[in-house]
């Protein structure tokens, strides 16, 4: 007998193909042998474990300063954390943020990281069209589709999602464009690592304003800034906040402390104009868990006030150094086969496009690295295969209905976050062997 599931429930029964692939790899992952370039995990060394432990101790021992930190919290977020975020943005002038602009914004803390805010949006908005870049943040796009949204992707450029291309896409949709719900733009794109330039950012905000006027309802743009504090290339253009540069456009910024502090804290937040959207978001937090864990919010507030400036500088320096080593190794080892390399200027992804080599999960290249070619010479003994390397195949990163579908079969995302640089260089040696194998086993 079946359950009477919603279409979301039905769509969620089977794990998505990428989750299946990662789960299969995780079940028999061998530490210090297999190399995981697939996960978006941060590098363990970036997490200030001792400092976090000290702050927890302080919070627990000073109930007069940190009231009821082990109790339930309010659904908008801990007042101390909200204030700490406001102060941090203004003091660090993040995106050009000023006291005046910040005082016009609402700040809401999600119940469990930026992910929970993205999830809330999928619940709050009437399912319709969401416009995003291709390649896309596959985790959220997959979620949106299970929630009944139609994700329409527009190929991005090195400078990010070009508002002129988005405009053309919207015009080409004809009457269908009436179903536009919102724009979702990852400012340091996951998977490509491309950084959205300020001109495009302003253009996208203007476009959201224009289409809102045209449709007679607000179609905002949500800028997902998960990696924006981690722009580490000194040559990169410093990002500007759309809240500062386009204050009359319907824009919201989604941030997280996951990548700069610790994913386990699950602290994500949204900045934007006060009003019904923020109210609905607060209600949603209440519905799913009352609040983010209050203890974590108090820790985050202390970290922001005292240590975040140095913490972010340290994390950025670490990823910069790795990005350079890995970037050079990519060029040295894979050059003959590569058509394009993106990323490496922010966060911790490179996105590779090969000229002719297929990267999908049934390709010889993938199977060589997963040690599933079926040929012992390449796989090693069946009980104890040679070191394996996992990456995210481009087939999962591009929209299956978009124009990059074929290109995605020759692409991959490589994360230099989790593994140490020497392991990644070793993985690139294996990738070079895999490319040779793929050429002789088409
Ligand atoms: C683009 C993007 N948005 C959001 C998230 C999730 O952030 P959080 O850990 O705050 O839920 C990630 C995590 O990898 C991400 O890549």
């Amino acid at each position: 007998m079946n359950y009477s599931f919603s279409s979301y429930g039905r769509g969620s029964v089977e794990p998505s193909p990428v989750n299946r692939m990662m789960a299969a790899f995780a079940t028999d992952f061998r530490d210090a042998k297999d190399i995981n370039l697939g996960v978006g995990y941060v590098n363990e060394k970036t997490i200030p474990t001792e400092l976090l432990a000290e702050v927890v101790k302080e919070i627990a021992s000073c109930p007069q300063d940190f009231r009821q930190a082990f109790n339930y919290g309010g659904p908008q977020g801990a007042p101390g954390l909200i204030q700490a975020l406001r102060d941090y943005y203004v003091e660090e002038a993040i995106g050009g943020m000023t006291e005046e602009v910040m005082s016009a914004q609402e700040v809401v803390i999600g119940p469990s990281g930026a992910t929970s805010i993205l999830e809330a949006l999928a619940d709050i908005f009437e399912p319709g069209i969401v416009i995003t870049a291709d390649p896309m943040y596959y985790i959220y796009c997959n979620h949106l589709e299970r929630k009944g949204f139609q994700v329409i992707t527009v190929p991005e450029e090195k400078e990010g999602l070009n508002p002129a291309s988005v405009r053309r896409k919207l015009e080409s949709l004809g009457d269908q464009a009436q179903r536009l719900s919102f724009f979702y733009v990852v400012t340091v794109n996951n998977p490509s690592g491309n950084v959205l330039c300020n001109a495009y950012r302003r253009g996208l905000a203007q476009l959201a304003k224009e289409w809102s006027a045209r449709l007679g309802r607000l179609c905002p743009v949500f800028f997902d800034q998960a990696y924006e504090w981690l722009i580490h290339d000194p040559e990169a253009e410093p990002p500007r906040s759309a809240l500062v540069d386009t204050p009359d456009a319907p824009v919201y910024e989604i941030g997280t402390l996951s990548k700069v502090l610790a994913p386990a804290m699950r602290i994500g937040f949204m900045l934007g104009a006060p009003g019904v959207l923020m109210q609905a978001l607060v209600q949603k937090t209440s519905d799913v868990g009352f609040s983010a864990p209050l203890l974590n919010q108090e820790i985050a507030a202390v970290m922001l006030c005292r240590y975040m400036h140095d913490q972010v500088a340290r994390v950025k320096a670490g990823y910069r150094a790795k990005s350079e080593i890995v970037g050079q190794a990519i060029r040295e080892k894979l050059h003959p086969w590569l058509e394009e390399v993106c990323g490496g200027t922010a966060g911790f992804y490179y996105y590779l496009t090969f000229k002719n080599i297929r990267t999908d999960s049934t390709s010889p290249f993938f199977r060589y690295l997963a040690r599933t070619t079926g040929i012992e010479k390449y796989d090693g003994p069946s009980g104890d295969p040679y070191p394996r390397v996992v990456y995210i195949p481009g087939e999962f990163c591009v929209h299956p209905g978009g124009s990059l579908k074929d290109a995605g079969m020759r692409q991959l995302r490589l994360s230099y976050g989790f593994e140490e640089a020497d392991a990644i260089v070793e993985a690139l040696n294996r990738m070079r062997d895999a490319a040779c194998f793929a050429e002789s086993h088409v």
Side-chain angles (χ1 to χ4, degrees), residues 40 112-116 118 137 139 184 186 188-190 224-227 254-259 263 266-268 348-349 413:
S112 182
T115 303
S116 64
L118 296 173
Y137 179 38
I139 293 177
Y184 172 65
V186 185
V188 174
N189 199 9
N190 176 0
D224 180 337
Q225 301 180 324
Y227 302 90
I254 297 168
T256 174
L257 299 187
S258 287
K259 311 293 175 182
R266 308 310 299 128
I267 299 292
F348 39 72
Y349 301 125
R413 188 192 78 176

Side-chain angles (χ1 to χ4, degrees), residues 19-198:
N19 283 358
R20 258 202 313 273
M21 186 198 92
M22 295 304 286
F25 194 81
T27 46
D28 51 1
F29 185 82
R30 298 163 301 173
D31 283 334
K33 191 158 190 190
D34 298 326
I35 304 175
N36 196 341
L37 307 183
V39 280
Y41 288 12
V42 304
N43 186 272
E44 281 284 317
K45 288 185 185 157
T46 66
I47 302 174
T49 319
E50 281 174 25
L51 213 49
L52 291 168
E54 261 175 48
V55 174
V56 174
K57 227 170 164 179
E58 181 182 335
I59 291 170
S61 57
C62 301
Q64 66 283 9
D65 297 334
F66 302 97
R67 281 183 54 237
Q68 305 160 349
F70 292 88
N71 220 315
Y72 290 116
Q76 174 158 2
L81 174 57
I82 291 173
Q83 193 56 49
L85 281 166
R86 288 184 182 281
D87 294 345
Y88 190 75
Y89 266 80
V90 174
E91 273 159 27
E92 301 284 321
I94 293 177
M97 185 57 75
T98 62
E99 186 80 58
E100 192 192 346
V101 176
M102 187 47 107
S103 63
Q105 314 304 325
E106 191 94 81
V107 179
V108 169
I109 314 294
S112 182
T115 303
S116 64
I117 291 176
L118 296 173
E119 196 274 342
L121 300 177
D123 248 1
I124 291 167
F125 279 80
E126 184 66 24
I129 290 172
V130 174
I131 300 278
T132 196
D134 218 351
M136 59 187 183
Y137 179 38
Y138 56 89
I139 293 177
Y140 187 45
C141 290
N142 176 275
H143 175 84
L144 282 168
E145 291 188 332
R146 276 180 285 124
K147 284 277 189 156
F149 287 82
Q150 183 185 358
V151 173
I152 296 188
T153 54
V154 177
E156 70 168 358
E157 302 168 4
K158 278 258 185 211
E159 299 77 25
L161 186 59
N162 185 338
S165 312
V166 176
R167 182 186 302 278
R168 275 195 298 278
K169 173 57 90 178
L170 281 168
E171 298 293 356
S172 77
L173 295 176
D175 285 348
Q176 235 206 103
Q178 304 276 344
R179 293 178 44 250
L180 178 63
S181 292
F182 58 85
F183 302 85
Y184 172 65
V185 181
V186 185
T187 60
V188 174
N189 199 9
N190 176 0
S192 68
N194 285 329
V195 183
L196 180 69
C197 70
N198 291 321

Side-chain angles (χ1 to χ4, degrees), residues 334-358:
L334 298 177
H335 175 260
W337 299 282
L338 286 175
E339 184 175 296
E340 199 185 9
V341 178
C342 300
T345 59
F348 39 72
Y349 301 125
Y350 275 104
Y351 194 67
L352 313 185
T353 305
F354 288 87
K355 290 177 198 155
N356 295 312
I357 293 188
R358 269 178 46 217

